[in-house]
Amino acid sequence: MLALLAVLSPGNFVPGSDLAKGFGPVLVGVIVMAIGLSLGGPTGYAINPARDLGPRIAHAVLPIAGKGSSDWGYAWIPIVGPIIGGVLAALVYQMVWK
């Protein structure tokens, strides 16, 4: 979140240039891809709660023979982690760049 706020900060745009505004989505995509490449293996790309919570609920509800635990002890991390991280990143952005 901090990287997104810093990259898309109006102070970083060249006045009168449309290149920065048009290039913003590409930069956002590169940041998300970098996070996925660096953390995707160990965390299963858990920066989106929907990618973790939905399958975990389905696994818990569906009657599958011989299935293991749904590991609800870890389930809160992909939900609470991005929320806390986003709020902290916004606060750091406000303190540093504003």
Side-chain angles (χ1 to χ4, degrees), residues 6-52:
V7 166
L8 300 176
S9 176
N12 293 335
F13 292 147
V14 176
S17 173
D18 288 335
L19 177 63
K21 293 177 185 173
F23 200 58
V26 173
L27 294 174
V28 170
V30 168
I31 290 169
V32 171
M33 185 180 74
I35 292 170
L37 289 174
S38 64
L39 298 173
T43 66
Y45 218 102
I47 62 173
N48 181 357
R51 289 202 49 148
D52 183 76

Side-chain angles (χ1 to χ4, degrees), residues 1-97:
M1 185 61 144
L2 183 60
L4 295 176
L5 290 171
V7 166
L8 300 176
S9 176
N12 293 335
F13 292 147
V14 176
S17 173
D18 288 335
L19 177 63
K21 293 177 185 173
F23 200 58
V26 173
L27 294 174
V28 170
V30 168
I31 290 169
V32 171
M33 185 180 74
I35 292 170
L37 289 174
S38 64
L39 298 173
T43 66
Y45 218 102
I47 62 173
N48 181 357
R51 289 202 49 148
D52 183 76
L53 187 60
R56 194 177 301 270
I57 291 171
H59 181 266
V61 172
L62 292 174
I64 302 171
K67 72 177 179 180
S69 169
S70 296
D71 193 18
W72 286 102
Y74 178 80
W76 66 275
I77 293 173
I79 297 168
V80 176
I83 294 170
I84 292 173
V87 170
L88 290 176
L91 291 173
V92 168
Y93 173 76
Q94 288 292 327
M95 288 189 301
V96 173
W97 278 281

